[in-house]
Amino acid sequence: MPDSIIASSVQLARIAGARVIGTGSETSSDSLRGLGAEPVAYGDGLGERVRALAPGGITAAIDLHGVETVHAARDLGVPDGRICTIATQIEGVSAANGANAAQGALEELARLVAAGQLRVPIAASFPIDQIRRAVEVQAGRHVPGKIVIDL
């Protein structure tokens, strides 16, 4: 399963009616497909692989890891105003985070989860006395879901 932020982003884009091309490793291809995305391998040549899938171009991009998707999107002609990132700051590109979320966004996400339209993958659940272990798991790369702390 891809990271929970990737899973959520793909699902939200699909709910909005977008065609989603998701970058990932070979091992994440089936999971991306299962979420409704068309997988494409990241790495050298990303822009060319995306162009092959979408010869008419792409209209927006979000980079959830580093800067590779931002650069590929710019190379494909996506305006900076239609690109955002969560992992770094790039001049001209919006940072996506809770601090700049639209009013009512959290309520809408809760509604989608409650309605079963948005799945939130849970990687692990820990009692409060194991919070150190929970933080260690969360700090690992590519955690396949949210870490829950039971109070």
Side-chain angles (χ1 to χ4, degrees):
M1 180 65 152
D3 294 0
S4 61
I5 189 79
I6 294 169
S8 298
S9 298
V10 170
Q11 290 177 83
L12 290 169
R14 296 290 297 142
I15 289 168
R19 174 186 178 200
V20 178
I21 298 172
T23 60
S25 65
E26 283 296 318
T27 59
S28 66
S29 292
D30 288 340
S31 295
L32 286 168
R33 261 188 223 92
L35 293 166
E38 298 171 56
V40 63
Y42 53 69
D44 290 339
L46 174 62
E48 291 80 21
R49 288 188 294 283
V50 171
R51 186 174 282 117
L53 283 173
I58 60 172
T59 59
I62 182 169
D63 197 318
L64 301 173
H65 181 66
V67 298
E68 181 182 27
T69 299
V70 170
H71 294 305
R74 282 177 162 172
D75 291 346
L76 292 166
V78 179
D80 281 357
R82 301 280 299 163
I83 303 170
C84 68
T85 181
I86 67 166
T88 189
Q89 292 182 348
I90 298 174
E91 187 174 337
V93 174
S94 297
N97 57 53
N100 61 12
Q103 186 173 7
L106 184 58
E107 292 82 2
E108 178 61 12
L109 290 173
R111 186 192 68 73
L112 290 169
V113 170
Q117 293 177 281
L118 179 63
R119 294 175 305 169
V120 180
I122 305 297
S125 182
F126 295 89
I128 190 70
D129 64 339
Q130 292 182 19
I131 196 163
R132 181 178 298 272
R133 178 67 186 128
V135 170
E136 290 169 352
V137 171
Q138 182 63 43
R141 289 188 54 121
H142 302 291
V143 178
K146 298 294 183 186
I147 301 298
V148 176
I149 305 297
D150 295 316
L151 300 177

